[in-house]
Amino acid sequence: MDKPEKFYITTPIYYVNARPHIGHAYTTVVCDTVARRQRMMGMDTWFLTGTDEHGQKIERSAIAAGCSPQEFADRVSGEFRQLWDRMKLSYDDFIRTTEPRHVRGMQALFKRLQERGYIYKGSYSGQYCVFDELYVDVKEPGAPCPECGRPTETVQEENYFFKLSAMQEPLLNLYSEQPEFIRPEARRNEVIAFVRCGLRDLSVSRTTFKWGIPVPGDENHVIYVWLDALANYLTAVGYGSDDPKDQAMLERYWPADVHMIGKEIVRFHCVYWPAFLLAAGIPLPQSIVAHGWLLFEESKMSKSRGNIVRSETILDTLGADTLRYFLLREIVFGGDGSFSFDALVQRFNADLANGLGNLSSRTLSMITRYFEGEIPYPSPGARTAGDDTVAELAQQTIVDFNAQFEQFQFSRALETAWGLVAAVNKYIVENEPWAVADKEDQDSRARLATILHTAAEALRIITALVHPVIPESTARIWEQLGLGDISKLDLRNLAWGQLPLHTRLGTVEAVFPRADKSTVERMQQMELDRASQVGQNAVAKAAGESEAAKAPPEPAAPVAAMPFAGAPAGDTITIDDFAKVELRVGQVKVAEKVKGADKLLRLEVDIGTEVRQIVAGIAKAYDPEQLVGRKVVIVANLAPRKLRGLESQGMIVAASLGDEGVPVLAGFLEDVPNGARLK
Ligand code: ME8
């Protein structure tokens, strides 16, 4: 027998600096649905997800959390995995970029790029956005990142460079020869326009921090986090391993068929990734499919905006299938879509409880009542045109649903399937099987059998089609239909007329009990409770429970940082008291270490009307060169004091985290002029 065709699909690997929210769940659920369907179509499917654990952003988050980057990554990566398991996502592998198999494979890829002459040593001087882990094309130190608006940091270091400039033509050829490489079309056009503007060589190593994979043979450098991250798609299927099993795996599954991503990381996947692969002489993935954003309260759901919704809240109330159905039905794939608890409950009640749930429970309970739980025989003599219409619509639904699904038009495919749900519910109402059952003659009995057989057959087809989307509830309906284990179903053969006669139904029970009005409030309350729980944990952590943390702190250098747990409860100040503190925006012009003091930095800060010298205890958390150009907040009317012989004319404001009081500077997302007062 021929080997089945293979299908390899990936999600992005998620950064461990944020806990999973339903934005991450969206991509993972989409991939899970596609993977499930491919399996049901007989494909040898491999579904990969995982976590992206290196880089400056993670290193800083770990410092802020008061633990080592590895401990931090272990914790958050574990949360992603636990959530995916709770949601019963059918991933085949979960890669972490801190795993030895990835480190080995990444270093092998780096060496290969070097050997093929695509990597050289040079020096980089420019702006870097730590949030996006992106080199940005802005000139001014501290200028906002064009992608996210956060202040950029000046990077000046000796780096390894990748010859991205040599890849412009090969990439443009790729986009034109393989039009399906980037989907949808709008993203493809953006990428082509970007590459046409010219590509500059890309710095692919860093020396100013340690949390990354060392460059083979030059351990002062760590590999650029995006090269490291993208390589996961290869290393997870065995790249760089000598083990014959891994090599067979690579041979079997590479190249990937679909890299599913959010639209904000298109450039990395559609420009950098194929450029690395072309340079390394490794076959390219079939396609990169970018979806839009899940919005909450009109803006992208993200940790930094503080507008996230957790999957757990929905799992605890309406269950995983409701979340999955909502995400695929409500968001038109490719575009942005809004999440709201109201819309979720409405969809649940309208489509699942009243739609599919109602069809299933009324059909199956009538078969139980009138035919002792056995699928009845449809008499040809008792057929009407209405029955044929349902059969034809069901056949057409299979064709349309399949075509739409193949094109990633999940919302339309579900609309199609629910068109059949509505038609069959209407058919039942119009044919009034309960009234037919009241008549005792032979013809009425035959008619009743035909109506219920038609409804049950349509229910079987809908259940099979939407199984990849709502796996748990369809598995239950399938069992209630008496058809056993739905995972054994081969979707390729699905057609009208295959419902085995005289099948005995399983135990019939409601699959989607209606949600009442209080569900929305309950979910909102759960979100609030979760947020305050996270806050309390952070407070407990920042306050520190160990004895060491209770010891009096070292005499403070002027960092206006107070662990937020330290504010004495109940003690309040008046607005006039607050007004006495003159907080102003400043921009760091000069930053340097203070000799003989490993915690102190000497800063010159422009506050609009003058430049102040400030000595700040932030040297353990910030390198001087990161600070030049950065906007900060200072207490401008603090009496000057001397530290290590230097006068400090003010104090810099920072949060203080963890047992060690690690400072994190206050800043702004918007551009603010120097000297602006905070009140
Ligand atoms: O970018 N709406 O990781 P990340 C829709 N580590 N999708 C969302 C979303 C939202 N509001 N929020 C997150 C990274 N996502 C890199 C990827 S891959 C080699 C490295 C989903 O944790 C979406 O898939 O920031 C997006 O692209 C991804 O999570 C970003 O996850």
Side-chain angles (χ1 to χ4, degrees):
M1 212 170 82
D2 281 350
K3 248 188 172 180
E5 261 185 82
K6 69 88 188 174
F7 180 80
Y8 175 26
I9 184 167
T10 66
T11 71
I13 48 169
Y14 304 112
Y15 283 130
V16 290
N17 71 318
R19 298 175 51 226
H21 56 69
I22 65 166
H24 304 112
Y26 177 52
T27 321
T28 320
V29 161
V30 168
C31 290
D32 180 71
T33 304
V34 174
R36 282 173 186 273
R37 190 179 144 82
Q38 290 289 346
R39 290 189 199 107
M40 289 175 79
M41 300 294 263
M43 300 290 264
D44 171 10
T45 302
W46 197 253
F47 167 23
L48 174 72
T49 188
T51 42
D52 185 355
E53 307 187 0
H54 288 130
Q56 203 166 4
K57 180 159 70 167
I58 310 296
E59 189 179 73
R60 284 191 188 163
S61 297
I63 292 173
C67 60
S68 75
Q70 188 65 59
E71 283 165 347
F72 184 77
D74 289 349
R75 194 163 70 216
V76 184
S77 176
E79 285 190 39
F80 272 95
R81 203 170 174 149
Q82 274 161 22
L83 179 61
W84 300 159
D85 289 343
R86 184 171 172 207
M87 292 176 73
K88 300 206 175 67
L89 300 184
S90 64
Y91 61 88
D92 296 290
D93 192 6
F94 187 104
I95 181 129
R96 302 182 53 188
T97 53
T98 51
E99 283 177 74
R101 61 169 170 160
H102 175 73
V103 173
R104 179 188 60 206
M106 176 65 256
Q107 290 184 327
L109 179 64
F110 198 94
K111 272 200 225 139
R112 189 172 166 113
L113 290 168
Q114 274 177 320
E115 283 158 14
R116 291 172 62 97
Y118 283 95
I119 285 188
Y120 64 92
K121 221 170 189 179
S123 81
Y124 180 84
S125 166
Q127 298 305 116
Y128 190 79
C129 172
V130 177
F131 182 81
D132 290 322
E133 299 282 11
L134 175 69
Y135 297 92
V136 289
D137 201 4
V138 294
K139 300 275 170 297
E140 279 288 294
C145 166
E147 300 293 320
C148 71
R150 291 175 176 81
T152 52
E153 295 182 12
T154 307
V155 172
Q156 227 163 2
E157 32 179 333
E158 187 186 57
N159 287 159
Y160 285 94
F161 280 82
F162 171 73
K163 286 187 186 164
L164 186 61
S165 56
M167 289 296 158
Q168 184 177 5
E169 280 313 308
L171 285 172
L172 289 172
N173 291 341
L174 161 71
Y175 306 143
S176 75
E177 283 161 17
Q178 214 175 300
E180 297 259 285
F181 183 70
I182 306 171
R183 290 190 275 178
E185 183 76 15
R187 301 281 161 245
R188 176 170 177 264
N189 294 338
E190 281 166 21
V191 170
I192 293 175
F194 174 80
V195 173
R196 279 211 182 114
C197 289
L199 295 173
R200 282 198 289 169
D201 289 353
L202 180 70
S203 164
V204 287
S205 75
R206 300 289 308 272
T207 53
T208 51
F209 66 95
K210 290 265 158 275
W211 184 237
I213 298 179
V215 166
D218 195 352
E219 314 255 308
N220 285 334
H221 291 252
V222 293
I223 295 170
Y224 173 44
V225 65
W226 268 103
L227 172 53
D228 171 349
L230 289 160
N232 91 86
Y233 302 133
L234 265 180
T235 60
V237 287
Y239 181 84
S241 167
D242 300 330
D243 188 327
K245 270 204 280 191
D246 294 333
Q247 289 174 348
M249 185 77 190
L250 187 68
E251 177 82 3
R252 175 77 183 128
Y253 290 108
W254 191 260
D257 294 84
V258 173
H259 290 317
M260 181 77 65
I261 57 170
K263 66 181 180 183
E264 79 289 356
I265 52 176
V266 161
R267 192 196 309 173
F268 301 102
H269 282 80
C270 303
V271 181
Y272 297 173
W273 182 225
F276 295 143
L277 291 171
L278 282 167
I282 296 172
L284 301 177
Q286 294 297 324
S287 72
I288 289 150
V289 179
H291 62 67
W293 285 338
L294 204 55
L295 310 175
F296 189 60
E297 288 155 359
E298 303 306 310
S299 60
K300 182 185 177 219
M301 200 177 284
S302 74
K303 181 180 132 178
S304 53
R305 287 198 179 84
N307 65 343
I308 48 176
V309 174
R310 303 247 171 242
S311 307
E312 290 86 334
T313 297
I314 301 159
L315 303 183
D316 289 346
T317 44
L318 296 170
D321 277 3
T322 308
L323 174 59
R324 296 171 69 100
Y325 179 77
F326 179 87
L327 293 174
L328 283 134
R329 173 65 184 86
E330 191 81 11
I331 296 158
V332 175
F333 188 79
D336 293 346
S338 286
F339 177 86
S340 81
F341 289 117
D342 279 323
L344 179 76
V345 171
Q346 263 180 39
R347 272 273 169 227
F348 175 79
N349 279 335
D351 296 6
L352 297 179
N354 293 349
L356 180 59
N358 193 18
L359 172 63
S360 166
S361 59
R362 77 207 309 197
T363 305
L364 300 180
S365 51
M366 281 191 280
I367 294 176
T368 305
R369 192 169 332 133
Y370 304 133
F371 293 95
E372 281 143 23
E374 208 170 89
I375 307 271
Y377 176 74
S379 309
R383 285 193 83 75
T384 65
D387 308 337
D388 294 339
T389 309
V390 171
E392 280 155 25
L393 182 65
Q395 285 286 26
Q396 192 57 44
T397 301
I398 297 173
V399 173
D400 293 347
F401 185 95
N402 285 345
Q404 289 155 346
F405 211 97
E406 294 298 307
Q407 291 303 313
F408 299 101
Q409 296 173 351
F410 309 113
S411 179
R412 279 189 65 195
L414 291 173
E415 211 179 325
T416 302
W418 259 258
L420 182 58
V421 170
V424 184
N425 270 331
K426 189 160 166 253
Y427 164 86
I428 293 175
V429 171
E430 285 171 359
N431 285 277
E432 298 184 316
W434 43 88
V436 180
D438 283 346
K439 300 181 202 152
E440 309 233 309
D441 59 291
Q442 276 274 301
D443 287 355
S444 298
R445 187 83 186 145
R447 180 73 200 127
L448 180 63
T450 306
I451 299 168
L452 291 181
H453 181 272
T454 304
E457 175 58 345
L459 175 65
R460 183 187 70 90
I461 288 192
I462 295 158
T463 307
L465 283 177
V466 303
H467 176 60
V469 181
I470 45 173
E472 261 184 84
S473 26
T474 44
R476 288 176 59 200
I477 297 176
W478 201 254
E479 272 178 19
Q480 294 186 28
L481 267 165
L483 298 173
D485 181 0
I486 196 168
S487 67
K488 303 216 161 64
L489 175 72
D490 187 338
L491 259 191
R492 287 168 295 185
N493 304 327
L494 186 69
W496 183 265
Q498 296 164 332
L499 180 61
L501 301 179
H502 307 304
T503 305
R504 283 216 67 80
L505 300 188
T507 315
V508 177
E509 58 194 7
V511 179
F512 304 108
R514 256 188 88 81
D516 61 29
K517 278 206 187 107
S518 68
T519 314
V520 171
E521 281 145 42
R522 266 197 297 142
M523 286 193 286
Q524 282 164 339
Q525 190 55 47
M526 285 163 89
E527 277 298 301
L528 287 176
D529 293 347
R530 280 210 164 89
S532 73
Q533 186 61 42
V534 171
Q536 278 163 20
N537 290 345
V539 167
K541 215 166 165 7
E545 267 122 38
S546 66
E547 283 310 305
K550 288 184 196 132
E554 274 182 49
V559 174
M562 163 140 0
F564 42 120
D571 282 2
T572 54
I573 58 169
T574 66
I575 189 80
D576 296 336
D577 291 332
F578 175 69
K580 285 182 200 148
V581 183
E582 189 187 330
L583 294 170
R584 287 203 184 270
V585 176
Q587 186 172 32
V588 179
K589 293 288 170 197
V590 174
E592 59 190 23
K593 295 207 158 122
V594 174
K595 273 209 191 93
D598 59 357
K599 282 192 181 164
L600 297 183
L601 290 184
R602 187 187 79 83
L603 308 175
E604 289 178 23
V605 181
D606 178 353
I607 58 164
T609 46
E610 60 185 301
V611 175
R612 295 278 186 92
Q613 170 169 282
I614 296 181
V615 183
I618 55 173
K620 290 229 155 126
Y622 293 91
D623 290 328
E625 57 270 24
Q626 288 172 273
L627 293 173
V628 175
R630 181 160 172 160
K631 295 272 166 110
V632 290
V633 175
I634 71 157
V635 183
N637 61 342
L638 198 70
R641 62 184 276 205
K642 279 213 164 160
L643 279 151
R644 302 268 172 174
L646 296 168
E647 184 175 84
S648 187
Q649 303 158 334
M651 172 158 115
I652 199 155
V653 178
S656 168
L657 301 182
D659 298 350
E660 289 171 15
V662 177
V664 178
L665 292 178
F668 300 90
L669 288 179
E670 290 81 10
D671 201 16
V672 275
N674 297 346
R677 175 119 194 229
L678 281 81
K679 30 186 163 171

